[in-house]
């Protein structure tokens, strides 16, 4: 049988690739792995368990209906980070405000984590792939104190780890520490993630575009021109690209990462600043895209350069294969 490399083995073999203490990375990823495994078990039984499937009956601060699994996922990750002792605070889509952990171990910890516990959760009932997206920063405030808002409001260029767990036909952990992108698949029987996608590189060009075309009447002229190009035989393939839109950012992004493509969520009248959240959706995926040779912009500037001013700040997002994003920006 093929010798598989577990996540732990991979990290210790490549310790020089990590810009911080190897033990810290191992522990942070261990927290993510344990929450992901528990979440995967819940997701796989969603249709069978009343307390798991369906809406919670409440809205988050952004006015979106929370699913029961959103809150289950949020608690699993929050608890894993709090108990892990390496994180001083977190922010997530499901919490109005950031959470500064109270224990002395947490106050002595060096990192904050921002995450979308379950992206695409409005798709749970129809069995479409969904995922957790996370972003890890070193704190700005002094070790020994409680985490503050400024620890959370850092530009994406300061991320030390970013990744996602995609719950699809298999469960995949993809992450970067700034030295390339690697993917690990969960072997559910052994309860371990093994290296399955080493050194992921996003094709420089592609023929998949992902956008909610229901919003077409709201698109700006430049985007309309780009979509016309995608749908014409004037592009580099000589035939129209294929439209692919799942409505789970993490799943749409992952497909485009592997096959080449562009994902676009522009500002529209229902979401004048864009729909996606800068800190825990756009930034982590932008870091991964750039590390894989792709590009991410909000239409004006690189996503990773945006200075955040709010926890749940929205941004427009054009992300994917470098040449496609440049073309959409009118740069080539
Ligand atoms: P949910 O997590 O609330 O399902 O939102 C998912 C999401 O933010 C992103 O994953 C999708 O790409 C986008 O919304 C889909 O939104 P539209 O339905 O507006 O296209």
């Amino acid at each position: 049988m093929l010798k598989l490399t577990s996540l732990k083995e991979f990290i210790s073999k490549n310790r020089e690739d990590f810009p911080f203490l190897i033990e810290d990375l191992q522990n942070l990823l261990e927290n993510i792995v344990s929450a992901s495994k528990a979440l995967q078990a819940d997701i796989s039984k969603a249709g069978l368990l009343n307390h798991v499937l369906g809406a919670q009956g409440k809205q988050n601060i952004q006015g979106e209906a929370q699913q029961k699994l959103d809150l289950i996922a949020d608690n699993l990750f929050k608890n894993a980070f709090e108990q892990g002792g390496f994180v001083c605070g977190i922010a997530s889509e499901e919490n109005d405000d950031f959470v500064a952990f109270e224990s002395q171990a947490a106050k002595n910890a060096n990192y904050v984590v921002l995450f979308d516990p379950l992206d695409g959760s409005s798709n749970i009932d129809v069995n479409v792939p969904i995922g957790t997206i996370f972003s890890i920063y070193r704190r700005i405030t002094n070790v020994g104190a409680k985490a503050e808002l400024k620890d959370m409001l850092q530009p994406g260029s300061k991320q030390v780890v970013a990744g996602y767990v995609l719950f699809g036909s298999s469960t995949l952990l993809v992450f970067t520490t700034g030295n390339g992108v690697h993917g690990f698949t969960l072997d559910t029987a052994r309860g371990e993630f093994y290296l399955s996608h080493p050194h992921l590189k996003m094709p420089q060009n592609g023929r998949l575009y992902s956008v909610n075309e229901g919003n077409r009447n709201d698109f700006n002229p430049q985007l309309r021109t780009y979509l016309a190009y995608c749908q014409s035989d004037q592009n580099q393939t000589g035939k129209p690209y294929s439209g692919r839109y799942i409505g789970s950012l993490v799943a749409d992004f992952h497909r485009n990462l592997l096959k080449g493509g562009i994902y676009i969520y522009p500002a529209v009248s229902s979401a004048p600043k864009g729909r996606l959240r800068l800190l825990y959706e756009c930034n982590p995926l932008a870091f991964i895209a750039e590390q894989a040779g792709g590009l991410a912009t909000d239409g004006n500037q690189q996503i990773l350069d945006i200075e955040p001013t709010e926890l749940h700040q929205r941004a427009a997002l054009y992300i994917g294969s470098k040449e496609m994003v440049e073309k959409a920006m009118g740069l080539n």
Side-chain angles (χ1 to χ4, degrees):
M1 196 186 139
L2 201 67
K3 166 78 179 95
L4 296 172
T5 305
S6 71
L7 178 59
K8 277 190 202 120
E9 287 166 342
F10 177 84
I11 294 171
S12 50
K13 270 190 206 160
N14 296 284
R15 46 177 62 229
E16 69 284 355
D17 281 356
F18 305 120
F20 45 86
L21 283 179
I22 189 104
E23 290 72 26
D24 291 6
L25 178 69
Q26 253 151 358
N27 281 293
L28 289 165
L29 288 177
E30 199 43 56
N31 300 162
I32 290 166
V33 162
S34 68
S36 303
K37 288 197 288 193
L39 182 55
Q40 189 274 336
D42 277 340
I43 290 171
S44 66
K45 290 179 293 199
L48 303 173
L49 303 175
N50 236 340
H51 70 279
V52 172
L53 191 67
Q56 174 70 20
K58 289 190 187 145
Q59 292 191 333
N60 63 21
I61 193 169
Q62 294 141 88
E64 295 162 345
Q66 286 177 316
Q67 304 296 309
K68 292 175 189 165
L69 261 173
D70 282 326
L71 298 181
I72 290 173
D74 191 51
N75 282 325
L76 283 170
F77 280 93
K78 220 165 28 187
N79 291 341
F81 292 128
E82 186 165 19
Q83 284 158 19
F86 280 77
V87 172
C88 58
I90 61 104
S92 95
E93 183 179 358
E94 306 309 334
N95 292 273
D96 297 0
D97 208 348
F98 72 95
V99 179
F101 296 141
E102 296 285 347
S103 72
Q104 197 52 49
K107 288 178 190 160
N108 290 338
N110 283 310
Y111 301 96
V112 293
V113 187
L114 294 91
F115 57 97
D116 179 353
L118 209 49
D119 172 63
S121 58
S122 50
N123 287 313
I124 295 165
D125 301 10
V126 292
N127 256 14
V128 158
I130 48 183
T132 302
I133 311 176
F134 59 89
S135 182
I136 304 179
Y137 294 82
R138 277 203 187 82
R139 71 186 300 170
I140 293 177
T141 50
N142 292 334
V143 169
K146 274 173 73 171
E148 294 177 28
L149 181 60
K150 63 181 170 196
D151 293 315
M152 312 289 159
L153 296 185
Q154 301 190 51
S157 57
K158 298 274 189 218
Q159 291 172 100
V160 291
V161 189
Y164 55 83
V165 183
L166 177 60
F167 303 98
S169 44
S170 58
T171 298
L172 200 66
L173 165 65
V174 173
F175 72 91
T176 184
T177 57
N179 273 297
V181 180
H182 307 283
F184 297 79
T185 299
L186 177 64
D187 178 336
T188 46
R190 297 194 234 182
E192 284 263 18
F193 279 90
Y194 292 97
L195 182 64
S196 51
H197 298 71
H199 304 288
L200 276 168
K201 283 284 166 217
M202 192 171 233
Q204 291 293 287
N205 219 328
R207 50 173 315 276
L208 300 176
Y209 70 94
S210 317
V211 65
N212 182 346
E213 291 200 78
N215 293 326
R216 174 179 278 272
N217 290 342
D218 258 355
F219 290 167
N220 60 61
Q222 185 171 335
L223 178 53
R224 285 181 201 217
T225 306
Y226 178 66
L227 289 180
Y229 167 84
C230 293
Q231 293 159 357
S232 75
D233 54 11
Q234 299 304 307
N235 58 58
Q236 86 287 359
T237 64
K239 56 183 183 189
Y241 294 165
S242 292
R244 293 281 185 276
Y245 190 72
I246 297 171
S248 278
L249 168 66
V250 62
D252 279 309
F253 173 81
H254 183 70
R255 184 202 51 244
N256 294 349
L257 170 65
L258 264 50
K259 295 187 181 293
I262 184 169
Y263 176 99
I264 301 171
Y265 211 114
V268 289
S269 54
S270 58
K273 294 182 175 163
R275 170 171 153 101
L276 300 169
R277 272 54 56 125
L278 174 65
L279 291 176
Y280 41 81
E281 293 181 317
C282 304
N283 272 340
L285 298 186
F287 189 20
I288 293 169
E290 292 203 359
Q291 282 294 314
L295 209 58
T297 137
D298 68 352
N300 294 308
Q301 60 176 329
Q302 309 279 97
I303 290 289
L304 297 181
D305 291 340
I306 300 174
E307 289 286 343
T309 52
E310 291 168 35
L311 212 46
H312 299 289
Q313 187 167 332
R314 310 261 185 172
L317 181 65
Y318 298 72
I319 190 167
S321 293
K322 187 164 180 283
E323 289 178 19
M324 298 180 87
V325 176
E326 284 170 350
K327 183 82 187 167
M329 297 296 99
L331 297 176
N332 64 21

